[in-house]
Amino acid sequence: SVNWREMTHPLVHLILFGIMTIFDPIYNYVYQRNMGDVSYIAHLGGSVVGLLLGVSILRNMKVTPKENIVWYICMIAYIIIMTVLITFNIVL
């Protein structure tokens, strides 16, 4: 969607990002369980926030209506996730 026409092999980028986002925390949790106090959930959350903010910040020069929809979805998802997690943190 956003910036795909400007990228070389955009589907490869998306697949690699997905693989790293999903399998890196799983691998580290399973194989390096006692290697320190690393928060893998925080790293996973950082990946999600990086994706959502990356879509919002790195916009095309010529924005199509479809890209506007993706931008709004990412911003709404970011705001909802941050609001829920900050509220959860305050309450607990």
Side-chain angles (χ1 to χ4, degrees):
S1 68
V2 178
N3 293 328
W4 277 49
R5 288 183 299 275
E6 289 82 16
M7 294 174 62
T8 58
H9 310 294
L11 191 58
V12 174
H13 289 267
L14 181 64
I15 290 170
L16 289 176
F17 178 81
I19 289 171
M20 290 179 4
T21 300
I22 293 169
F23 291 111
D24 185 54
I26 294 170
Y27 170 80
N28 287 323
Y29 180 76
V30 171
Y31 290 106
Q32 299 176 355
R33 198 176 285 189
N34 298 319
M35 298 298 285
D37 296 328
V38 177
S39 174
Y40 299 109
I41 297 299
H43 281 89
L44 183 62
S47 298
V48 171
V49 168
L51 176 66
L52 293 175
L53 287 180
V55 167
S56 301
I57 293 170
L58 303 172
R59 300 190 64 180
N60 284 342
M61 298 304 273
K62 295 185 239 176
V63 180
T64 65
K66 179 181 170 185
E67 291 168 349
N68 277 333
I69 293 170
V70 171
W71 185 84
Y72 282 113
I73 290 171
C74 288
M75 286 306 295
I76 290 169
Y78 174 75
I79 291 168
I80 290 171
I81 289 169
M82 292 304 290
T83 303
V84 167
L85 294 177
I86 289 172
T87 304
F88 182 73
N89 196 18
I90 291 171
V91 170
L92 295 178

